[in-house]
Amino acid sequence: MKEVLIAESAGFCFGVKRAMNMARVELLEKNQTAVYALGPLIHNKQAVAKHEDMGLITVDRLNDINQNLESKVIIRSHGVAKKIYDEAGLKGINIVDTTCPFVKKIHDIVTKGEKEEKEIILLGDAKHPEVIGINGWCKDKAIIFKELDEVKNYKFNKNKEYLLVSQTTMNEKKFDSIIEYLKGLDLKLSIKNTICSATRVRQEEARKLSEKVDVMVVIGGKHSSNTQKLVKICSEIVDTISIETKEDMQDVNFAKYKIIGVTAGASTPDWIIEEAVDFLKRS
Ligand code: F3S
Protein backbone atom coordinates (compact mmCIF):
# COMPACT_ATOMS: atom_id res chain seq x y z
CA MET A 1 0.00 0.00 0.00
CA LYS A 2 1.19 3.51 -0.78
CA GLU A 3 1.75 6.06 1.95
CA VAL A 4 -0.80 8.84 1.55
CA LEU A 5 -0.54 12.02 3.65
CA ILE A 6 -3.63 14.20 3.77
CA ALA A 7 -3.49 17.90 4.64
CA GLU A 8 -5.50 18.59 7.81
CA SER A 9 -7.26 21.56 6.23
CA ALA A 10 -8.13 19.77 2.97
CA GLY A 11 -11.67 20.40 1.79
CA PHE A 12 -14.54 22.35 3.35
CA CYS A 13 -13.76 25.31 5.55
CA PHE A 14 -15.84 25.95 8.69
CA GLY A 15 -18.35 28.17 6.84
CA VAL A 16 -18.95 25.80 3.93
CA LYS A 17 -19.20 22.79 6.25
CA ARG A 18 -21.80 24.62 8.34
CA ALA A 19 -23.75 25.68 5.23
CA MET A 20 -23.78 22.20 3.74
CA ASN A 21 -24.94 20.67 7.04
CA MET A 22 -27.78 23.19 7.26
CA ALA A 23 -28.79 22.46 3.64
CA ARG A 24 -28.73 18.74 4.29
CA VAL A 25 -30.97 19.04 7.36
CA GLU A 26 -33.50 21.07 5.32
CA LEU A 27 -33.54 18.47 2.55
CA LEU A 28 -33.90 15.55 4.96
CA GLU A 29 -36.79 17.21 6.81
CA LYS A 30 -38.51 18.95 3.92
CA ASN A 31 -41.64 16.75 3.58
CA GLN A 32 -43.90 18.69 1.17
CA THR A 33 -41.87 21.90 1.25
CA ALA A 34 -39.94 22.79 -1.91
CA VAL A 35 -36.33 23.63 -1.06
CA TYR A 36 -34.52 26.00 -3.41
CA ALA A 37 -30.93 27.23 -3.50
CA LEU A 38 -30.33 30.75 -4.74
CA GLY A 39 -27.41 30.00 -7.06
CA PRO A 40 -25.43 26.74 -7.06
CA LEU A 41 -25.12 25.62 -3.42
CA ILE A 42 -21.37 25.16 -3.79
CA HIS A 43 -18.76 25.32 -6.56
CA ASN A 44 -18.59 21.57 -6.94
CA LYS A 45 -20.77 19.94 -9.54
CA GLN A 46 -20.71 16.47 -7.91
CA ALA A 47 -21.88 17.89 -4.57
CA VAL A 48 -24.59 20.00 -6.25
CA ALA A 49 -25.82 16.92 -8.16
CA LYS A 50 -25.98 14.91 -4.94
CA HIS A 51 -28.14 17.57 -3.26
CA GLU A 52 -30.33 17.93 -6.36
CA ASP A 53 -30.93 14.16 -6.16
CA MET A 54 -32.25 14.81 -2.63
CA GLY A 55 -34.73 17.31 -4.07
CA LEU A 56 -32.84 20.61 -4.07
CA ILE A 57 -33.90 22.99 -6.85
CA THR A 58 -31.30 25.54 -7.96
CA VAL A 59 -32.59 28.92 -9.19
CA ASP A 60 -30.84 32.14 -10.15
CA ARG A 61 -33.59 34.53 -8.99
CA LEU A 62 -36.33 34.55 -6.36
CA ASN A 63 -38.78 35.10 -9.24
CA ASP A 64 -38.06 31.56 -10.41
CA ILE A 65 -39.52 30.11 -7.20
CA ASN A 66 -42.98 28.57 -7.46
CA GLN A 67 -45.01 30.59 -4.98
CA ASN A 68 -47.99 28.28 -5.18
CA LEU A 69 -46.09 25.74 -3.09
CA GLU A 70 -44.74 26.08 0.41
CA SER A 71 -41.12 26.91 -0.22
CA LYS A 72 -37.83 27.71 1.42
CA VAL A 73 -34.79 29.24 -0.13
CA ILE A 74 -31.23 28.56 0.96
CA ILE A 75 -28.90 31.55 1.01
CA ARG A 76 -25.36 30.30 0.35
CA SER A 77 -22.33 30.77 2.60
CA HIS A 78 -21.21 33.72 0.39
CA GLY A 79 -24.24 35.69 1.61
CA VAL A 80 -26.49 38.00 -0.39
CA ALA A 81 -27.57 41.64 -0.42
CA LYS A 82 -30.16 42.97 2.02
CA LYS A 83 -32.66 43.48 -0.79
CA ILE A 84 -32.87 39.68 -1.30
CA TYR A 85 -34.11 39.25 2.31
CA ASP A 86 -36.59 42.08 1.76
CA GLU A 87 -37.83 40.60 -1.51
CA ALA A 88 -38.20 37.11 0.03
CA GLY A 89 -40.14 38.64 2.92
CA LEU A 90 -42.55 40.38 0.52
CA LYS A 91 -43.05 37.18 -1.45
CA GLY A 92 -43.58 35.13 1.74
CA ILE A 93 -40.63 32.84 1.00
CA ASN A 94 -38.88 31.41 4.07
CA ILE A 95 -35.14 31.83 4.18
CA VAL A 96 -32.60 29.27 5.35
CA ASP A 97 -29.66 31.55 5.94
CA THR A 98 -26.34 29.69 5.66
CA THR A 99 -24.29 32.88 5.25
CA CYS A 100 -20.91 32.27 6.86
CA PRO A 101 -20.77 34.15 10.20
CA PHE A 102 -17.49 35.76 9.06
CA VAL A 103 -19.26 37.19 5.99
CA LYS A 104 -22.26 38.23 8.10
CA LYS A 105 -19.86 40.20 10.29
CA ILE A 106 -18.74 42.19 7.22
CA HIS A 107 -22.41 42.90 6.39
CA ASP A 108 -22.81 44.36 9.89
CA ILE A 109 -19.63 46.44 9.62
CA VAL A 110 -20.61 48.06 6.31
CA THR A 111 -24.23 48.59 7.38
CA LYS A 112 -23.01 50.52 10.42
CA GLY A 113 -20.38 52.39 8.39
CA GLU A 114 -22.92 53.46 5.80
CA LYS A 115 -25.29 54.71 8.54
CA GLU A 116 -22.41 56.76 9.94
CA GLU A 117 -22.00 58.27 6.47
CA LYS A 118 -18.60 56.75 5.90
CA GLU A 119 -17.44 55.92 2.40
CA ILE A 120 -17.03 52.16 2.23
CA ILE A 121 -13.96 50.81 0.47
CA LEU A 122 -14.37 47.14 -0.41
CA LEU A 123 -11.32 45.21 -1.62
CA GLY A 124 -12.21 42.24 -3.80
CA ASP A 125 -13.63 41.06 -7.07
CA ALA A 126 -16.71 43.13 -7.98
CA LYS A 127 -18.22 40.17 -9.85
CA HIS A 128 -17.89 37.72 -6.95
CA PRO A 129 -21.21 36.90 -5.20
CA GLU A 130 -19.70 37.61 -1.77
CA VAL A 131 -18.65 41.11 -2.86
CA ILE A 132 -22.01 41.78 -4.55
CA GLY A 133 -23.69 40.68 -1.31
CA ILE A 134 -21.53 42.89 0.95
CA ASN A 135 -22.09 45.88 -1.32
CA GLY A 136 -25.81 45.28 -0.98
CA TRP A 137 -25.57 45.98 2.76
CA CYS A 138 -24.29 49.51 2.15
CA LYS A 139 -26.84 50.46 -0.51
CA ASP A 140 -24.51 49.37 -3.34
CA LYS A 141 -22.38 52.44 -2.66
CA ALA A 142 -19.05 50.72 -1.89
CA ILE A 143 -15.98 51.75 -3.83
CA ILE A 144 -14.67 48.38 -5.00
CA PHE A 145 -11.01 47.81 -5.85
CA LYS A 146 -9.37 44.59 -6.95
CA GLU A 147 -5.88 45.84 -7.79
CA LEU A 148 -3.48 48.40 -6.33
CA ASP A 149 -3.40 50.25 -9.68
CA GLU A 150 -7.14 50.91 -9.43
CA VAL A 151 -6.61 52.41 -5.97
CA LYS A 152 -3.80 54.59 -7.30
CA ASN A 153 -6.04 55.95 -10.06
CA TYR A 154 -8.89 56.86 -7.68
CA LYS A 155 -9.35 60.44 -6.50
CA PHE A 156 -9.89 60.27 -2.74
CA ASN A 157 -11.44 63.17 -0.84
CA LYS A 158 -9.53 64.13 2.31
CA ASN A 159 -12.67 65.65 3.82
CA LYS A 160 -14.48 62.34 3.79
CA GLU A 161 -14.22 59.45 6.23
CA TYR A 162 -13.45 56.05 4.75
CA LEU A 163 -14.01 52.57 6.12
CA LEU A 164 -12.19 49.68 4.48
CA VAL A 165 -13.16 46.00 4.48
CA SER A 166 -12.19 43.15 2.18
CA GLN A 167 -13.55 40.01 0.60
CA THR A 168 -12.80 37.09 2.95
CA THR A 169 -10.64 35.32 0.35
CA MET A 170 -8.56 38.37 -0.62
CA ASN A 171 -4.87 37.69 -1.12
CA GLU A 172 -3.07 38.96 2.00
CA LYS A 173 -0.05 40.35 0.15
CA LYS A 174 -2.29 42.36 -2.13
CA PHE A 175 -4.28 43.57 0.87
CA ASP A 176 -1.09 44.69 2.66
CA SER A 177 0.26 46.56 -0.37
CA ILE A 178 -3.03 48.44 -0.81
CA ILE A 179 -3.16 49.33 2.90
CA GLU A 180 0.42 50.56 2.82
CA TYR A 181 -0.39 52.81 -0.14
CA LEU A 182 -3.61 54.15 1.44
CA LYS A 183 -1.86 54.89 4.75
CA GLY A 184 0.56 57.10 2.81
CA LEU A 185 -2.34 59.24 1.53
CA ASP A 186 -3.12 60.64 4.96
CA LEU A 187 -6.87 59.96 4.73
CA LYS A 188 -9.43 59.62 7.51
CA LEU A 189 -9.47 55.87 7.18
CA SER A 190 -10.45 53.00 9.46
CA ILE A 191 -9.34 49.55 8.37
CA LYS A 192 -11.05 46.27 9.19
CA ASN A 193 -9.04 43.29 8.05
CA THR A 194 -11.85 40.87 7.21
CA ILE A 195 -9.74 38.28 5.40
CA CYS A 196 -10.60 34.77 6.61
CA SER A 197 -7.58 32.72 7.66
CA ALA A 198 -9.00 29.43 6.26
CA THR A 199 -7.57 30.06 2.79
CA ARG A 200 -4.13 31.03 4.09
CA VAL A 201 -3.94 28.03 6.43
CA ARG A 202 -4.90 25.66 3.60
CA GLN A 203 -2.26 27.16 1.28
CA GLU A 204 0.49 27.06 3.91
CA GLU A 205 -0.27 23.42 4.69
CA ALA A 206 -0.23 22.51 1.00
CA ARG A 207 3.19 24.17 0.66
CA LYS A 208 4.62 22.31 3.67
CA LEU A 209 3.16 18.97 2.61
CA SER A 210 4.58 19.39 -0.92
CA GLU A 211 8.06 19.49 0.60
CA LYS A 212 7.58 16.08 2.26
CA VAL A 213 6.08 14.00 -0.56
CA ASP A 214 6.99 12.70 -4.05
CA VAL A 215 3.77 13.89 -5.68
CA MET A 216 0.80 16.03 -4.70
CA VAL A 217 -2.78 15.31 -5.70
CA VAL A 218 -5.02 18.39 -5.50
CA ILE A 219 -8.74 17.66 -5.52
CA GLY A 220 -11.28 20.27 -6.58
CA GLY A 221 -13.15 21.90 -9.43
CA LYS A 222 -11.18 22.87 -12.53
CA HIS A 223 -12.95 26.24 -12.31
CA SER A 224 -12.48 26.69 -8.57
CA SER A 225 -9.97 29.51 -8.15
CA ASN A 226 -8.87 28.45 -4.65
CA THR A 227 -8.23 24.89 -5.91
CA GLN A 228 -6.19 26.10 -8.86
CA LYS A 229 -4.17 28.34 -6.53
CA LEU A 230 -3.32 25.20 -4.50
CA VAL A 231 -2.27 23.46 -7.74
CA LYS A 232 0.05 26.34 -8.53
CA ILE A 233 1.62 26.41 -5.06
CA CYS A 234 2.24 22.64 -5.03
CA SER A 235 3.51 22.42 -8.61
CA GLU A 236 6.21 24.96 -7.85
CA ILE A 237 7.64 22.44 -5.36
CA VAL A 238 6.79 18.91 -6.55
CA ASP A 239 5.01 16.93 -9.33
CA THR A 240 1.34 17.84 -8.96
CA ILE A 241 -1.82 16.27 -10.34
CA SER A 242 -5.08 18.24 -10.40
CA ILE A 243 -8.25 16.14 -10.27
CA GLU A 244 -11.97 16.65 -9.73
CA THR A 245 -12.72 13.02 -8.75
CA LYS A 246 -10.83 9.71 -8.52
CA GLU A 247 -11.90 8.91 -12.10
CA ASP A 248 -9.41 11.55 -13.33
CA MET A 249 -6.53 9.39 -12.04
CA GLN A 250 -7.29 6.20 -13.97
CA ASP A 251 -4.49 6.81 -16.48
CA VAL A 252 -1.90 8.24 -14.09
CA ASN A 253 1.10 6.03 -13.33
CA PHE A 254 1.85 6.35 -9.61
CA ALA A 255 4.46 3.54 -9.64
CA LYS A 256 7.37 5.97 -9.47
CA TYR A 257 6.03 7.73 -6.36
CA LYS A 258 6.42 6.38 -2.84
CA ILE A 259 4.75 9.06 -0.72
CA ILE A 260 1.67 10.85 -2.02
CA GLY A 261 0.31 14.09 -0.55
CA VAL A 262 -3.34 15.08 -0.84
CA THR A 263 -5.07 18.41 -0.40
CA ALA A 264 -8.39 19.76 -1.62
CA GLY A 265 -10.08 23.07 -2.35
CA ALA A 266 -12.66 24.66 -0.06
CA SER A 267 -15.63 23.26 -2.02
CA THR A 268 -14.51 19.64 -2.16
CA PRO A 269 -16.72 17.32 -0.07
CA ASP A 270 -15.16 14.73 2.25
CA TRP A 271 -16.57 11.76 0.31
CA ILE A 272 -14.75 12.82 -2.88
CA ILE A 273 -11.50 13.15 -0.88
CA GLU A 274 -12.03 9.75 0.79
CA GLU A 275 -12.68 8.01 -2.55
CA ALA A 276 -9.52 9.55 -4.03
CA VAL A 277 -7.42 8.58 -0.99
CA ASP A 278 -8.68 4.95 -1.18
CA PHE A 279 -7.77 4.86 -4.85
CA LEU A 280 -4.29 6.28 -4.18
CA LYS A 281 -3.52 3.83 -1.35
CA ARG A 282 -4.14 0.97 -3.77
CA SER A 283 -2.35 2.58 -6.74
FE1 F3S B 1 -16.40 31.48 5.91
FE2 F3S B 1 -13.82 31.66 5.70
FE3 F3S B 1 -15.04 29.64 4.65
S1 F3S B 1 -15.29 33.29 5.45
S2 F3S B 1 -17.04 30.39 4.09
S3 F3S B 1 -14.91 30.13 6.83
S4 F3S B 1 -13.34 30.72 3.75
Side-chain angles (χ1 to χ4, degrees):
M1 263 222 203
K2 284 263 155 64
E3 188 177 357
V4 181
L5 305 178
I6 309 159
E8 230 175 83
S9 57
F12 289 172
C13 58
F14 150 78
V16 171
K17 208 176 268 176
R18 175 180 170 274
M20 298 303 280
N21 284 341
M22 288 171 75
R24 210 179 148 71
V25 168
E26 289 303 327
L27 289 166
L28 289 173
E29 294 174 356
K30 71 183 177 60
N31 294 322
Q32 298 308 311
T33 310
V35 180
Y36 292 85
L38 192 57
L41 195 54
I42 186 168
H43 285 142
N44 181 287
K45 56 179 188 284
Q46 293 79 13
V48 169
K50 214 170 185 172
H51 285 81
E52 287 179 344
D53 285 347
M54 290 172 77
L56 183 72
I57 307 160
T58 305
V59 290
D60 289 327
R61 303 168 312 154
L62 291 179
N63 276 344
D64 297 334
I65 291 176
N66 182 349
Q67 284 178 255
N68 299 322
L69 301 172
E70 196 188 325
S71 42
K72 285 184 175 177
V73 65
I74 297 173
I75 303 291
R76 301 178 292 178
S77 56
H78 293 313
V80 292
K82 182 178 180 299
K83 63 177 177 235
I84 302 288
Y85 293 81
D86 297 343
E87 195 184 329
L90 287 174
K91 289 183 175 2
I93 302 167
N94 293 314
I95 283 184
V96 179
D97 191 356
T98 79
T99 306
C100 176
F102 299 140
V103 176
K104 196 76 220 151
K105 192 173 143 203
I106 309 177
H107 294 171
D108 295 341
I109 294 171
V110 300
T111 302
K112 184 165 176 279
E114 196 276 329
K115 274 193 193 132
E116 291 168 356
E117 295 182 2
K118 290 181 180 154
E119 297 281 316
I120 310 293
I121 300 174
L122 171 52
L123 303 184
D125 177 354
K127 293 196 193 101
H128 193 284
E130 181 191 320
V131 171
I132 294 169
I134 295 169
N135 196 16
W137 286 88
C138 54
K139 301 191 178 155
D140 292 322
K141 291 198 289 197
I143 312 158
I144 304 173
F145 299 120
K146 191 175 175 194
E147 303 292 341
L148 176 59
D149 280 348
E150 296 164 15
V151 183
K152 286 184 175 170
N153 288 329
Y154 189 82
K155 296 264 170 296
F156 289 95
N157 181 340
K158 289 202 172 169
N159 297 320
K160 287 189 172 167
E161 256 190 81
Y162 294 92
L163 168 67
L164 181 145
V165 293
S166 78
Q167 189 177 342
T168 54
T169 49
M170 171 101 190
N171 174 294
E172 289 184 1
K173 274 195 195 134
K174 210 186 266 186
F175 178 88
D176 290 344
S177 62
I178 291 175
I179 297 304
E180 201 186 305
Y181 173 79
L182 285 172
K183 280 186 173 163
L185 294 184
D186 194 25
L187 300 169
K188 281 180 242 158
L189 170 68
S190 32
I191 298 161
K192 304 275 181 200
N193 183 341
T194 50
I195 297 176
C196 170
S197 62
T199 310
R200 175 172 43 81
V201 170
R202 191 180 299 105
Q203 291 178 357
E204 275 168 13
E205 271 191 0
R207 199 172 285 121
K208 281 191 194 143
L209 190 55
S210 299
E211 283 161 5
K212 291 190 208 153
V213 298
D214 304 316
V215 62
M216 278 296 289
V217 174
V218 181
I219 315 167
K222 292 273 184 272
H223 301 291
S224 148
S225 62
N226 80 86
T227 303
Q228 294 316 311
K229 182 85 208 296
L230 290 172
V231 173
K232 186 168 179 286
I233 289 170
C234 299
S235 60
E236 281 165 8
I237 302 169
V238 72
D239 282 357
T240 298
I241 298 158
S242 165
I243 62 159
E244 286 196 350
T245 63
K246 72 171 193 310
E247 275 69 36
D248 298 337
M249 295 188 284
Q250 305 295 344
D251 299 329
V252 181
N253 179 8
F254 285 98
K256 58 179 172 169
Y257 305 118
K258 271 196 191 141
I259 309 176
I260 304 172
V262 172
T263 188
S267 319
T268 310
D270 286 352
W271 56 273
I272 292 187
I273 302 175
E274 281 158 20
E275 282 182 3
V277 169
D278 275 355
F279 177 93
L280 286 168
K281 281 185 179 162
R282 286 182 278 104
S283 64

